């Protein structure tokens, strides 16, 4: 079970890095606005932070 949680956290972390770190400044702004407008920033950001902690 711990392995599954760790692999899931790594997958979320890798996805976030591929989206966020490989994006231009304009793309980051658009992503942030879309997340804020749709209300997804509230659940997504803490999930990503927790996943990054577990992945490390």
């Amino acid at each position: 079970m711990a392995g599954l949680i760790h692999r899931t956290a790594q997958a979320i972390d890798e996805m976030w890095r591929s989206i966020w770190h490989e994006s231009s400044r304009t793309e980051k702004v658009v992503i942030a606005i879309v997340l804020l407008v749709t209300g997804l920033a509230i659940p997504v950001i803490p999930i990503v932070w927790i996943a990054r902690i577990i992945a490390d």
Side-chain angles (χ1 to χ4, degrees), residues 14-34:
E14 289 172 9
M15 178 192 64
W16 180 256
R17 288 176 193 252
S18 71
I19 291 170
W20 194 252
H21 293 292
E22 297 175 7
S23 300
S24 68
R25 185 181 188 112
T26 305
E27 291 170 330
K28 289 178 183 179
V29 170
V30 170
I31 291 169
I33 290 171
V34 168

Side-chain angles (χ1 to χ4, degrees), residues 3-56:
L4 176 63
I5 292 171
H6 185 69
R7 287 192 308 271
T8 303
Q10 282 181 327
I12 291 170
D13 183 47
E14 289 172 9
M15 178 192 64
W16 180 256
R17 288 176 193 252
S18 71
I19 291 170
W20 194 252
H21 293 292
E22 297 175 7
S23 300
S24 68
R25 185 181 188 112
T26 305
E27 291 170 330
K28 289 178 183 179
V29 170
V30 170
I31 291 169
I33 290 171
V34 168
L35 288 174
L36 289 173
V37 169
T38 60
L40 292 177
I42 294 168
V44 169
I45 292 173
I47 290 170
V48 169
W49 286 340
I50 292 168
R52 293 186 78 184
I53 291 168
I54 294 171
D56 291 334

